[in-house]
Amino acid sequence: NAGVTQTPKFRVLKTGQSMTLLCAQDMNHEYMYWYRQDPGMGLRLIHYSVGEGTTAKGEVPDGYNVSRLKKQNFLLGLESAAPSQTSVYFCATRQGRAFFGQGTRLTVV
Amino acid sequence: GEDVEQSLFLSVREGDSSVINCTYTDSSSTYLYWYKQEPGAGLQLLTYIFSNMDMKQDQRLTVLLNKKDKHLSLRIADTQTGDSAIYFCAESKGDKIIFGKGTRLHILP
């Protein structure tokens, strides 16, 4: 029982490159979230999903896209990475309380 | 204003009690949470409280909820060096979970 697994754990991108972050859960939770964490800013919600096939915008959605084609997976895409997207990204699932993955540290140079 | 507000820093002597305060905005929040984050790690759920409760105790942790003032506090009794971390308050807001910016707890010898 892995809980919430994020891949990759680290990545360095060049400005303009694209990538996809994967969040996988084995708890059968309906709700899934993507947050970014920046120093002094806490966690800010990027996008979230309340079930398979659904997505919704959070506080800071610009520059990101998401997909929830399967209930257990929530993908976060960066189409054209910018240095401002350098951050630690956390995925979470929720059933009552939220369960977090270990994070993906992304650097855009 | 901010949805969830908390002070950014707290210094406490080892053995004393730590009290971390938080204010939130959504009176319909069902759950209120406290998460702990150690350096380089993900978020660990410490405790949570349902909105119909006003207190919850779990070993060294005591959560107090004042719904009228939308105020939540976390008390850590007998603070130890291992309690040094960032503590996040969070509220459930509809389908979302909104986090404060975190309180960095520093333990003095």
Side-chain angles (χ1 to χ4, degrees), chain B residues 17-72:
Chain B
S17 292
S18 305
V19 179
I20 304 171
N21 294 302
C22 167
T23 57
Y24 62 97
T25 59
D26 189 352
S27 58
S28 64
S29 290
T30 310
Y31 292 87
L32 294 138
Y33 312 87
W34 284 104
Y35 283 85
K36 177 183 181 182
Q37 186 181 36
E38 298 185 44
L43 275 77
Q44 169 196 354
L45 179 68
L46 274 182
T47 186
Y48 63 97
I49 189 167
F50 292 106
S51 58
N52 63 357
M53 300 169 64
D54 50 23
M55 186 180 92
K56 181 178 180 181
Q57 190 155 1
D58 183 4
Q59 298 183 334
R60 293 192 296 123
L61 305 178
T62 303
V63 178
L64 295 178
L65 174 60
N66 180 328
K67 283 195 72 175
K68 174 177 167 291
D69 296 335
K70 298 191 190 72
H71 182 268
L72 183 72

Side-chain angles (χ1 to χ4, degrees), chain A residues 8-71:
Chain A
K9 290 184 171 43
F10 302 93
R11 185 74 186 267
V12 178
L13 281 182
K14 293 183 178 177
T15 297
Q17 286 186 316
S18 64
M19 78 163 294
T20 301
L21 283 67
L22 170 64
C23 178
Q25 56 127 340
D26 61 4
M27 296 178 286
N28 204 36
H29 291 170
E30 294 290 342
Y31 288 51
M32 296 187 75
Y33 304 85
W34 276 108
Y35 291 88
R36 61 178 287 173
Q37 184 178 24
D38 303 292
M41 299 296 290
L43 275 78
R44 294 183 290 170
L45 182 63
I46 305 171
H47 286 281
Y48 64 102
S49 168
V50 300
E52 181 179 314
T54 76
T55 63
K57 293 181 180 180
E59 303 167 77
V60 288
D62 294 343
Y64 305 94
N65 56 74
V66 286
S67 64
R68 184 100 181 266
L69 298 179
K70 294 183 179 180
K71 186 177 184 179

